[in-house]
Amino acid sequence: MATEDARYRESSQFRQWSFSPVQLASMRDKANTLARTSIAERLSTSPPNNASTNSMSAPTSNANTPDPDGGTPSLPEFLTPAEEALLVTFYTSELLRAGDHAEMGDEIKATAAAFFRRFYVTNSIMTYPPQQMLIVALFFGCKAEGAFPRITDFAQTFGKEDPQDILAGEFLLCQGIRFCFDVKHPFRALRGAVMELRKLGDIDTSRIDSAERRARDILRFSPLVTDAYFHYTPSQIMYATLSHADRGLVERLIQETFHYVAPPTNSGPDTPTASGDASTPATSRRDTNKGDDNNKAAIIGSYIRDRVLGTIEACRDMLAKEMPERREHWSNKTVIKAQITPLRKKLNKCHDPDRWDLVKLQKVRREQALKKGDSEDGSPGDRVASSEADASLFGGDVATAQRDAKRRKVGAKGLDDPFGGAL
Amino acid sequence: MLRKAPVGARGMAPGTASGAALPLTTDDMCPVCKTIRYLNKDMEFLINPECYHSMCSNCVNRLFNDGPNQCPYAGCNRTLRRKGFRSAFFGDLTVEREVDIRRRVAAVFNQAEDDFETLRDYNNYLQMVEDLTFDLVSGAEGKRPAAEAQLQQWEAEHKADIERNRKAGREADEQARRRLTAEREAARQRRIEAIKEAEDEKLERARSREAELDTLAQAPEGQRVQLKRRGQTNRAGGATASAVETTVNTAIAAADVGRLSIRGLKEKRKAPAPEGPYDPFGGSDFVPSRYKVGEGLAHPQVEKYRFDQQHITGGYSFDDYTARAMFEAFAGLGVFIEDEKEVGIGMSAGQVATIGAGIAAVGDRMELD
């Protein structure tokens, strides 16, 4: 295994925030279904203008929840996962525009966009307001990338009077992104690739420069508004953008990198380590350095080269859907009117009334926490709901441990659920 | 190597030059040249461990000075060399031969008890070695070559072990020798001290006698003298008590020395394999496998800062930047997330789904800030 890959596998981006398309889709479906269930329950039990604290912690994993679609006729129409995805993409492009407006660096914008998209993987857009969350993501992205703007200045930039509007969502965002603050970007990787290309020596520098400019432009937009960060590694994304800019350069670079060809005694082209032993006839001469050869073939052989090229090609196709020229598409008035506005209207009707206002939500939660701290046991129904939810999250053991008085106190402090509230 | 038993008639070998203590027998005659001791007082009998046939040194010189030659004994067709001859230590050559064999076997099978897990293992091992030795010394005609082959095979296979054990044994010998000398030295010190003490005591006694006589001369009060004398005896009693104490102490010290030796034996037990130096990166390999970092890697956007005071004053490392950029350009290139996440090199698909669902399903109990 290549050492670079082993090191990348150690990152939180790979361990926590990389998914196959199927997994990602199922997670989004799940988030959507749960949001529907809880909002339907909420709307059918109490009128929206009277947001009482009790309903906040309604059991979400209850089996006998009434079907929201076939339930009371007063229920609004909910967004489908596809519509949600469209909205998230739209708001991501909005986020990037906001970042441009505030004259932020590329990495800050990219980090904020990654935070935003990650947040809406496990949370539905119907639960928390995307327009506020994108500002929060930008603010927190600044901090994650080592820039520390004043919150008052920052709020003013976006026309917000009260900094609390931004701060209220900050911890929520952290929970949603599961405290993975380090996002690996392809920007520096592009520099590395350019260094390597320049080192080859026989390529026109102006060609490299123009390709780099174009690739960087794509990197600023395309991977951020697509799911590329979930499905591909930064280097793969980088090569995909570079191949959009100049396909020949990428092919050259990949050929140079995966240059290893098995010695000629081996019949046929070298094959992967696993199937290589089966397909190649056992030659006694190469027995001594066969392991070494196989290892090399697995790292820089032609088989892995083809796989990498295939992955880059797939990533390229994904990025092709959202080329930088689509910036205008997302800010085009007619497009917004045709596609986004109806969804927004729908969203206005079907959003979660309790959690839409982040400031109020924070206030309510603080009060709740205080109340819990004052009266040791809290409301029994609430307790049952929480332990049920914990059981579903951690696999049953916690439910029994929760009865422990000590545990309960810790739970009342809000530490038992570090990864955020319900949808 | 040992085909022939020593000549039956020569049960008692002649005394060697060094072995003057051995009783000399009447038939001190060289069986090769028939010289008798009567004619040659300095006659010395030599044997060769090839066949243990003894002959006088004159015969050895005569026969083997010109190179290897056959043994002059009738029926013995061993080829002997001058170098191999030596005088026998034991009068009985069977004993000499057995000792030789045992020495050789012991050099090969030199495991100590500490090398074994249990006492039973060690005993089994000793039994095995003893059986082998017996086969070599007095085994039947068929068994001896087999045992010999076994011995040689073991020697060839465990060369390193044998060498290590030999070294350990040598160290142990060295330690024992040092301990012995230390003990001897301590004993010598004790003896000197004892002598000194005895002298002191004698002096003290003489002095007290003087003092007694003086007091008698000066103050003829019987009681005072009595008291003094009692004090004197008391003091003497104390001295003997301290002497007892010191002997006890030395006894304890001697016991300590004894125990020390046992502990030393235990310490010979195989030490656990060394853990190696601490690795703060948990085994991560930082040697790039798909690219090389070195001269010639430059980017115009970075190069322009190379002579920028604001950058270089703070110690900005351009090499580090290059290394990091190159690493990022190639890191994860061979990571195929879709496959790996489905198959589960990192986290299995099911796990991710349950965690995601868990996050989504968790009740609303969190607290901000």
Side-chain angles (χ1 to χ4, degrees):
Chain A
M1 190 197 289
T3 54
E4 300 96 49
D5 293 350
R7 278 169 71 187
Y8 180 71
R9 285 198 185 91
E10 295 291 310
S11 66
S12 65
Q13 183 155 329
F14 177 79
R15 288 190 301 181
Q16 305 280 357
W17 288 107
S18 292
F19 310 105
S20 72
V22 179
Q23 287 167 346
L24 192 64
S26 79
M27 285 173 82
R28 283 181 172 150
D29 277 354
K30 200 140 205 160
N32 182 265
T33 328
L34 284 161
R36 278 171 186 236
T37 319
S38 76
I39 294 169
E41 185 143 314
R42 165 74 181 77
L43 290 179
S44 57
T45 48
S46 61
N49 54 357
N50 181 20
S52 76
T53 57
N54 286 345
S55 61
M56 297 256 317
S57 40
T60 51
S61 53
N62 229 342
N64 52 11
T65 311
D67 185 18
D69 293 323
T72 37
S74 65
L75 280 179
E77 204 179 328
F78 290 108
L79 293 174
T80 63
E83 288 167 338
E84 275 193 24
L86 183 64
L87 271 181
V88 169
T89 308
F90 167 72
Y91 280 113
T92 314
S93 74
E94 288 287 288
L95 180 147
L96 293 176
R97 271 200 326 132
D100 289 338
H101 167 68
E103 290 170 354
M104 289 170 178
D106 289 343
E107 306 228 334
I108 296 175
K109 280 185 284 181
T111 304
F115 284 169
F116 185 76
R117 290 188 75 85
R118 285 178 182 183
F119 180 77
Y120 281 114
V121 167
T122 48
N123 293 291
S124 168
I125 207 161
M126 293 183 281
T127 314
Y128 296 110
Q131 260 152 326
Q132 284 184 48
M133 287 314 289
L134 74 88
I135 309 283
V136 174
L138 274 173
F139 180 63
F140 199 73
C142 282
K143 295 212 260 184
E145 288 297 325
F148 302 98
R150 273 168 170 275
I151 180 66
T152 45
D153 299 349
F154 192 86
Q156 255 168 21
T157 316
F158 295 104
K160 303 229 175 217
E161 287 301 314
D162 189 8
Q164 210 54 40
D165 286 351
I166 299 167
L167 293 178
E170 206 176 8
F171 189 65
L172 193 67
L173 179 84
C174 291
Q175 287 180 316
I177 61 177
R178 309 186 68 197
F179 300 95
C180 298
F181 298 151
D182 185 25
V183 184
K184 308 246 181 246
H185 294 300
F187 297 112
R188 201 180 291 107
L190 183 62
R191 289 253 170 103
V194 168
M195 286 179 188
E196 187 73 14
L197 280 171
R198 281 173 168 266
K199 193 184 170 191
L200 293 176
D202 54 349
I203 304 171
D204 193 13
T205 48
S206 61
R207 182 185 168 192
I208 298 177
D209 285 346
S210 65
E212 188 192 2
R213 268 196 302 279
R214 172 70 178 152
R216 200 173 170 85
D217 195 33
I218 299 172
L219 281 185
R220 285 196 192 111
F221 184 77
S222 306
L224 301 175
V225 294
T226 57
D227 287 335
Y229 271 53
F230 293 116
H231 300 327
Y232 302 102
T233 62
S235 56
Q236 287 163 354
I237 294 171
M238 184 271 293
Y239 284 115
T241 55
L242 196 59
S243 86
H244 269 301
D246 191 333
R247 193 183 267 253
L249 290 182
V250 173
E251 274 165 12
R252 176 76 198 280
L253 206 50
I254 294 292
Q255 288 291 351
E256 292 285 339
T257 305
F258 299 95
H259 59 272
Y260 180 75
V261 179
T265 45
N266 199 356
S267 71
D270 52 346
T271 35
T273 353
S275 64
D277 291 333
S279 63
T280 53
T283 46
S284 55
R285 207 174 72 78
R286 283 184 61 247
D287 269 359
T288 45
N289 53 359
K290 197 170 184 183
D292 194 35
D293 282 348
N294 275 339
N295 198 18
K296 264 189 166 174
I299 293 174
I300 49 173
S302 64
Y303 170 77
I304 187 102
R305 181 192 67 211
D306 294 344
R307 279 192 79 186
V308 169
L309 280 174
T311 311
I312 291 172
E313 202 60 26
C315 183
R316 187 189 144 96
D317 291 346
M318 175 178 271
L319 299 183
K321 288 176 203 146
E322 294 286 347
M323 291 307 278
E325 289 72 31
R326 295 259 293 176
R327 280 193 184 115
E328 280 74 50
H329 169 85
W330 289 116
S331 53
N332 191 333
K333 287 233 168 67
T334 55
V335 175
I336 291 176
K337 204 170 184 184
Q339 292 182 11
I340 306 301
T341 317
L343 292 183
R344 270 180 171 170
K345 275 183 186 155
K346 220 167 148 187
L347 183 62
N348 274 336
K349 279 185 196 139
C350 70
H351 66 71
D352 191 326
D354 293 329
R355 278 167 253 196
W356 201 251
D357 186 346
L358 293 179
V359 179
K360 214 165 87 190
L361 175 70
Q362 193 192 29
K363 213 158 97 192
V364 165
R365 281 186 177 157
R366 277 196 175 137
E367 278 168 13
Q368 216 173 13
L370 270 179
K371 239 189 275 168
K372 272 188 192 173
D374 288 345
S375 62
E376 185 59 38
D377 19 39
S379 69
D382 195 37
R383 183 58 53 199
V384 169
S386 73
S387 58
E388 248 176 37
D390 274 359
S392 67
L393 177 54
F394 298 114
D397 289 352
V398 185
T400 49
Q402 196 82 21
R403 287 183 202 118
D404 192 350
K406 238 179 190 174
R407 261 312 280 248
R408 195 180 294 169
K409 194 157 186 182
V410 176
K413 294 262 160 63
L415 294 175
D416 52 348
D417 175 27
F419 292 133
L423 299 159
Chain B
M1 128 184 163
L2 303 164
R3 276 294 144 108
K4 293 198 183 225
V7 190
R10 296 182 41 79
M12 292 297 268
T16 58
S18 58
L22 287 169
L24 293 173
T25 49
T26 45
D27 54 346
D28 277 355
M29 183 180 77
C30 173
V32 180
C33 60
K34 313 294 183 201
T35 317
I36 52 172
R37 190 170 286 281
Y38 183 75
L39 296 176
N40 182 4
K41 276 258 193 286
D42 302 329
M43 192 163 71
E44 187 189 359
F45 284 92
L46 299 179
I47 49 128
N48 193 316
E50 280 285 316
C51 60
Y52 290 89
H53 289 151
S54 72
M55 57 197 85
C56 72
S57 54
N58 283 340
C59 290
V60 170
N61 285 334
R62 177 170 53 81
L63 289 167
F64 300 102
N65 256 3
D66 298 335
N69 207 344
Q70 234 183 10
C71 179
Y73 275 57
C76 175
N77 38 20
R78 292 259 158 180
T79 308
L80 307 180
R81 286 159 199 280
R82 176 74 188 86
K83 219 172 93 187
F85 280 94
R86 59 186 168 82
S87 55
F89 185 81
F90 295 100
D92 189 344
L93 286 180
T94 48
V95 175
E96 177 81 24
R97 178 170 158 270
E98 184 168 344
V99 167
D100 281 349
I101 290 172
R102 283 189 181 278
R103 191 176 290 141
R104 192 169 149 246
V105 171
V108 173
F109 290 95
N110 54 1
Q111 310 275 18
E113 187 180 346
D114 295 353
D115 295 337
F116 292 90
E117 293 286 322
T118 60
L119 184 65
R120 172 169 280 274
D121 287 340
Y122 182 53
N123 284 336
N124 288 342
Y125 162 79
L126 288 181
Q127 180 68 44
M128 187 267 287
V129 172
E130 188 53 39
D131 286 349
L132 190 84
T133 314
F134 183 80
D135 281 349
L136 283 174
V137 172
S138 49
E141 209 44 48
K143 275 193 177 173
R144 213 176 292 169
E148 179 64 30
Q150 217 176 330
L151 183 70
Q152 271 169 5
Q153 189 191 349
W154 181 273
E155 190 171 8
E157 278 173 6
H158 298 84
K159 214 162 233 170
D161 280 353
I162 289 166
E163 189 52 40
R164 201 193 56 230
N165 282 337
R166 188 179 296 159
K167 222 177 266 170
R170 232 181 283 142
E171 267 163 30
D173 285 354
E174 181 72 12
Q175 266 181 359
R177 205 174 52 75
R178 239 178 283 144
R179 203 172 51 240
L180 212 68
T181 51
E183 265 169 30
R184 224 174 267 157
E185 178 66 18
R188 203 173 61 82
Q189 285 293 340
R190 272 203 303 278
R191 248 194 326 275
I192 289 172
E193 257 166 40
I195 290 166
K196 213 170 142 197
E197 217 166 85
E199 272 175 8
D200 281 357
E201 205 172 311
K202 213 189 259 175
L203 256 162
E204 184 69 15
R205 213 181 295 140
R207 213 185 306 137
S208 69
R209 198 179 148 75
E210 288 284 298
E212 211 171 295
L213 286 175
D214 282 357
T215 47
L216 272 177
Q218 279 165 11
E221 287 170 55
Q223 202 171 5
R224 231 188 189 170
V225 175
Q226 287 289 328
L227 273 174
K228 269 235 159 148
R229 195 179 279 165
R230 203 177 295 151
Q232 208 89 137
T233 47
N234 270 355
R235 215 195 301 161
T240 48
S242 71
V244 166
E245 206 173 303
T246 49
T247 50
V248 166
N249 276 347
T250 50
I252 288 170
D256 248 355
V257 166
R259 219 187 304 147
L260 238 176
S261 78
I262 291 166
R263 216 184 292 138
L265 273 174
K266 292 255 185 226
E267 273 164 18
K268 258 198 313 187
R269 197 171 279 279
K270 252 180 251 165
E275 279 183 16
Y278 170 69
D279 181 7
F281 300 109
S284 289
D285 190 357
F286 288 88
V287 180
S289 51
R290 291 204 175 112
Y291 62 94
K292 285 191 187 72
V293 176
E295 288 298 307
L297 288 171
H299 191 283
Q301 294 291 319
V302 182
E303 284 306 298
K304 68 181 180 191
Y305 293 110
R306 205 172 267 277
F307 302 104
D308 179 35
Q309 285 297 328
Q310 285 187 337
H311 275 77
I312 55 177
T313 309
Y316 185 84
S317 167
F318 289 87
D319 290 343
D320 281 355
Y321 181 84
T322 310
R324 191 170 172 197
M326 289 301 288
F327 168 72
E328 291 196 2
F330 291 95
L333 200 52
V335 176
F336 307 108
I337 288 171
E338 185 171 352
D339 298 350
E340 290 188 13
K341 285 293 172 183
E342 294 281 349
V343 176
I345 282 187
M347 199 189 289
S348 76
Q351 244 179 316
V352 171
T354 44
I355 285 176
I359 291 163
V362 163
D364 189 358
R365 286 155 295 104
M366 67 153 210
E367 180 195 345
L368 292 184
D369 301 342

